[in-house]
Amino acid sequence: SQELEQSPQSLIVQEGKNLTINCTSSKTLYGLYWYKQKYGEGLIFLMMLQKGGEEKSHEKITAKLDEKKQQSSLHITASQPSHAGIYLCGARNQAGTALIFGKGTTLSVSS
Amino acid sequence: DAGITQSPRYKITETGRQVTLMCHQTWSHSYMFWYRQDLGHGLRLIYYSAAADITDKGEVSDGYVVSRSKTENFPLTLESATRSQTSVYFCASSGFPRTANTEAFFGQGTRLTVV
């Protein structure tokens, strides 16, 4: 079965600093999703990547899917306290039916 | 209001009791999912459904039962609750995969405690 590994597990950065979160799949990715979760709340969709080499940005968050479609990165520029939370990557299986997630990366931003 | 709603938000039950968590979505999404979230394990898939009357097991389906008689509802039943099923449960729905906008939308979660 497919597994998604996220790194790092947790991250503490100073406000204004840049950071990157990685998501590596054990199999080819057929749609990679990035979500953010505030502690105790539901997941909020950030971005979806499908094509190898694809890159998307929303405000100060950029996500990329590598050419081989087995790894994605999420980059936050000039982090703010509002960026704090748990970031999860998710992926569909090859049939497109199941949607699985990595264990998440907990981000803390100190002011 | 359009969206996906879970009920109850909080539930305490005793070991051995049957408990059902409800999930309702108003988008007519074909796909629905149930996950549990635990510290150290992340979000794990329990069951998913591609359409009414079609369900499949996920990674951690033992002890759980689902049904989907209507597209909009996807209840999750713990047949005989155990303490290891204490968790936060999330329901999600999505459109047909590999088409535009196939992201999953999540409910606010149900925090279940089994005592």
Side-chain angles (χ1 to χ4, degrees):
Chain A
S1 60
Q2 185 174 16
E3 292 185 355
L4 298 176
E5 185 173 333
Q6 288 187 236
S7 62
Q9 283 186 323
S10 63
L11 196 53
I12 302 174
V13 299
Q14 199 171 15
E15 184 176 357
K17 297 293 187 183
N18 302 335
L19 64 107
T20 299
I21 298 169
N22 294 303
C23 176
T24 302
S25 173
S26 59
K27 296 185 178 182
T28 299
L29 291 163
Y30 297 94
L32 187 285
Y33 305 80
W34 282 102
Y35 285 83
K36 179 186 175 185
Q37 183 184 27
K38 290 284 190 182
Y39 188 76
E41 298 180 9
L43 280 68
I44 303 298
F45 172 72
L46 295 175
M47 277 172 277
M48 175 191 168
L49 305 164
Q50 278 191 308
K51 300 176 184 176
E54 187 174 9
E55 180 175 321
K56 287 187 178 178
S57 293
H58 176 66
E59 297 180 342
K60 293 185 178 180
I61 301 176
T62 300
K64 300 178 185 180
L65 181 62
D66 77 353
E67 290 288 345
K68 294 183 180 178
K69 294 176 65 177
Q70 285 202 256
Q71 187 171 32
S72 178
S73 60
L74 185 83
H75 184 78
I76 298 177
T77 304
S79 59
Q80 300 169 356
S82 61
H83 288 128
I86 303 171
Y87 289 82
L88 297 104
C89 65
R92 297 271 186 177
N93 61 359
Q94 187 171 1
T97 50
L99 176 58
I100 64 166
F101 286 87
K103 292 184 178 181
T105 296
T106 301
L107 171 64
S108 301
V109 179
S110 60
S111 54
Chain B
D1 288 340
I4 181 165
T5 54
Q6 294 183 234
S7 60
R9 288 293 311 278
Y10 303 91
K11 177 74 176 178
I12 299 174
T13 191
E14 294 177 340
T15 302
R17 287 196 180 266
Q18 183 181 83
V19 60
T20 296
L21 310 183
M22 305 300 292
C23 180
H24 175 77
Q25 53 106 351
T26 60
W27 293 297
S28 298
H29 281 162
S30 53
Y31 282 81
M32 295 189 75
F33 310 88
W34 272 107
Y35 299 89
R36 58 177 292 175
Q37 188 173 35
D38 306 284
L39 206 60
H41 291 281
L43 209 60
R44 291 182 291 176
L45 183 63
I46 305 172
Y47 266 98
Y48 60 100
S49 168
D53 297 322
I54 300 175
T55 61
D56 273 301
K57 294 180 179 180
E59 178 189 355
V60 290
S61 60
D62 287 347
Y64 302 95
V65 173
V66 293
S67 63
R68 194 155 177 219
S69 56
K70 292 184 177 180
T71 300
E72 60 267 30
N73 296 324
F74 192 38
L76 175 74
T77 298
L78 286 68
E79 296 182 294
S80 177
T82 65
R83 289 195 180 90
S84 65
Q85 292 177 310
T86 293
S87 185
V88 181
Y89 290 85
F90 287 99
C91 177
S93 72
S94 78
F96 194 79
R98 297 191 188 157
T99 57
N101 304 320
T102 61
E103 68 269 24
F105 295 87
F106 282 78
Q108 285 299 97
T110 294
R111 187 174 293 274
L112 176 68
T113 302
V114 183
V115 297

